Amino acid sequence: MIVRIMGEGQVRLDEGRLAELNELDDELLAETRAGDEEGFRRTLGALLDAVRRLGVPLPDDSLEPSELILPSPDATLSEVREMLTDNGLLPG
């Protein structure tokens, strides 16, 4: 699966890794809904760090379609709220 982190680039992430990321995604969803800015900032950073750690960066000149788009590390709570589905940012 190709994941884009807005403003950074793309990584190839094995779909089996999504289960590892869902706990952070659930926390982010709850914090966003509650308006918990401090928790949101911490969890968004942890989620993006985990994607970077578990994924393999694609070359900057690679133009593969992204199956999942995640917000940039400096995204606001409001911006992320607009990106969320009922399940969070990640499928499943």
Side-chain angles (χ1 to χ4, degrees):
M1 152 181 277
I2 304 299
V3 179
R4 173 175 298 283
I5 298 176
M6 295 173 67
E8 287 188 25
Q10 295 177 301
V11 298
R12 184 175 310 277
L13 183 69
D14 185 300
E15 287 189 42
R17 298 294 198 163
L18 288 178
E20 296 176 51
L21 301 172
N22 272 327
E23 185 175 325
L24 289 169
D25 189 44
D26 291 345
E27 287 179 37
L28 186 68
L29 178 61
E31 291 159 351
T32 302
R33 286 182 174 163
D36 178 357
E37 181 74 36
E38 184 179 321
F40 159 79
R41 187 72 34 218
R42 179 187 62 247
T43 305
L44 176 60
L47 177 63
L48 296 178
D49 287 345
V51 169
R52 292 181 198 108
R53 180 175 42 81
L54 297 172
V56 176
L58 295 179
D60 289 339
D61 60 352
S62 177
L63 295 174
E64 297 194 38
S66 300
E67 297 166 80
L68 180 60
I69 299 175
L70 297 177
S72 68
D74 62 347
T76 66
L77 192 136
S78 177
E79 290 169 334
V80 172
R81 190 176 283 137
E82 290 178 20
M83 296 177 72
L84 291 171
T85 67
D86 289 338
N87 294 325
L89 293 171
L90 305 177

